[in-house]
Amino acid sequence: MLWPWSSPAPFITLRGPRLSLRLPQMHDYAQWYALRRASQDFLRPFEPRWTELDLQRRVFAMRVRRAREEAEEGTDYTFFLFSGENGGDTLVGGITLSNIRRRAAQFVSLGYWMGQNYAGKGMMTEGVAIVVPFVFETLDLHRIHAAFLPTNTASRRVLEKNGFVEEGFAKSYLQINGRWEDHVLMGLNRERWENGRFAQRQGWVA
């Protein structure tokens, strides 16, 4: 495919004031393992079931390879979220853009996770704010879909602060920690995002 930027998939980097996002690389394994292992109990209520076996190096290598292939095909983007000066070097979480649909649909599904020690600091709100322009301006899509457990108020805040609005409720929507769970559905389209940016420039919203 033809890229709308000059760098190949492995070198895509999105930057914000204090965070950066890029595709995973093998040298990230130690940080990724430590963060996921330390945050296992924190993440368990919000993710599909996983065990220590899923943290093995060979499994991570498969993830890295698949992330690169999917990005090159333009179907999915798996970003690691880093904090720190000069682009960031401390892994704090991840953001995924999955199931990209073209033609009449032109949408993508948004997902994210945050390490326990970095939760509640506004980092995921900023991370999503960094990735949204990539979706609308670089990938040229029209909608972003997101879903969260009804009890996950932190995730709701992340989405609402980035302009997402509640659009529905899905029974037994995703399998979380071995159980089919209900989810709140939220969305953001290009028109709402562009209007929000214009309002911010004019000083109409905080």
Side-chain angles (χ1 to χ4, degrees):
M1 65 178 295
L2 296 176
W3 290 93
W5 51 82
S6 59
S7 300
F11 303 105
I12 300 171
T13 301
L14 312 178
R15 301 187 188 278
R18 58 174 177 164
L19 300 172
S20 64
L21 295 90
R22 63 164 171 77
L23 269 62
Q25 300 175 18
M26 276 308 302
H27 62 75
D28 299 321
Y29 175 71
Q31 278 205 81
W32 176 82
Y33 174 86
L35 185 61
R36 295 288 293 181
R37 185 68 183 85
S39 305
Q40 186 170 11
D41 292 340
F42 172 72
L43 295 171
R44 183 179 290 116
F46 308 109
E47 295 188 344
R49 182 175 292 168
W50 54 275
T51 68
E52 185 74 20
L53 295 176
D54 295 297
L55 300 180
Q56 293 180 352
R57 180 179 291 272
R58 64 177 182 82
V59 176
F60 183 77
M62 293 171 59
R63 290 175 179 269
V64 171
R65 182 171 65 251
R66 184 169 64 248
R68 175 172 179 166
E69 291 172 350
E70 290 171 343
E72 289 175 343
E73 293 167 358
T75 60
D76 298 76
Y77 295 86
T78 299
F79 291 112
F80 276 3
L81 184 62
F82 294 90
S83 174
E85 297 179 357
N86 300 319
D89 54 12
T90 300
L91 179 64
V92 299
I95 296 179
T96 59
L97 299 171
S98 60
N99 301 316
I100 292 175
R101 293 294 180 266
R102 294 291 182 178
R103 299 184 179 179
Q106 298 291 327
F107 69 77
V108 65
S109 295
L110 169 72
Y112 43 81
W113 64 273
M114 178 64 72
Q116 183 172 5
N117 290 340
Y118 305 103
K121 303 179 185 299
M123 291 185 182
M124 189 53 70
T125 298
E126 181 181 330
V128 172
I130 295 170
V131 85
V132 166
F134 175 74
V135 171
F136 290 133
E137 295 180 342
T138 304
L139 299 183
D140 197 26
L141 294 171
H142 184 251
R143 285 181 56 85
I144 308 174
H145 296 161
F148 61 90
L149 294 166
T151 56
N152 192 348
T153 56
S155 192
R156 176 185 285 275
R157 288 196 298 269
V158 166
L159 296 170
E160 288 180 342
K161 288 179 179 179
N162 279 286
F164 284 73
V165 294
E166 185 172 338
E167 297 182 333
F169 185 87
K171 296 287 291 183
S172 303
Y173 184 61
L174 295 174
Q175 194 175 76
I176 302 297
N177 195 26
R179 296 179 54 185
W180 289 99
E181 298 283 3
D182 303 341
H183 279 69
V184 178
L185 307 179
M186 297 189 74
L188 176 65
N189 61 34
R190 180 191 292 268
E191 292 85 356
R192 179 176 176 82
W193 177 67
E194 289 179 343
N195 289 339
R197 284 200 307 166
F198 178 76
Q200 287 179 332
R201 288 197 299 269
Q202 298 303 312
W204 298 342
V205 295

